[in-house]
Amino acid sequence: QVQLVESGGGLVQPGGSLRLSCGASGSIFSINAMAWYREVPGKQRELVARIFNNGATRYADFVKGRFTISIDIAKNTVYLQMNSLKPEDTAVYYCNLDVPEEGSDVWYWGLGTQVTVSS
């Protein structure tokens, strides 16, 4: 059973910074990619950033230049450094793990961590 545990969310003022962490545990033999998504009520969950096992990254346009995703493969842990936060970044942030299992790619999700940007 694979589990993802996020941490690092909270309340921050506009222009501030937060660092999210997500550790994956369980039967993980290899990783295709890890990612962060976010969701606000009434809207679809959207990709924030993804990092692949070769180090390549992909960012949503709305976070380019402000957020940085990184990964510690040995610890199965992904991080999201969020700088210059804006009120519109307020959301529940979810960690995503993409692993190969029995010939398919399987996605796992964490329970989410709330990020609130407000003065």
Side-chain angles (χ1 to χ4, degrees):
Q1 187 73 14
V2 174
Q3 286 189 319
L4 301 177
V5 178
E6 300 108 332
S7 62
L11 173 64
V12 63
Q13 291 187 338
S17 299
L18 283 175
R19 188 187 192 218
L20 305 183
S21 300
C22 172
S25 61
S27 300
I28 301 170
F29 301 100
S30 65
I31 293 176
N32 292 326
M34 294 188 78
W36 289 95
Y37 283 71
R38 71 186 189 186
E39 186 174 333
V40 296
K43 294 184 67 176
Q44 281 192 324
R45 189 172 297 187
E46 59 184 359
L47 174 68
V48 176
R50 175 174 285 121
I51 186 164
F52 298 88
N53 58 12
N54 63 359
T57 57
R58 181 179 300 165
Y59 293 93
D61 287 342
F62 53 78
V63 301
K64 283 182 179 177
R66 300 189 298 125
F67 292 8
T68 302
I69 190 170
S70 60
I71 192 170
D72 185 334
I73 288 288
K75 296 181 179 180
N76 291 337
T77 299
V78 65
Y79 305 94
L80 185 68
Q81 178 66 44
M82 305 187 294
N83 299 327
S84 302
L85 283 160
K86 305 174 182 180
E88 51 264 44
D89 293 319
T90 295
V92 178
Y93 284 70
Y94 293 91
C95 177
N96 170 263
L97 170 67
D98 175 357
V99 296
E101 288 187 6
E102 299 179 353
S104 299
D105 292 336
V106 178
W107 283 22
Y108 293 94
W109 295 93
L111 296 179
T113 184
Q114 176 71 47
V115 171
T116 302
V117 185
S118 175
S119 55

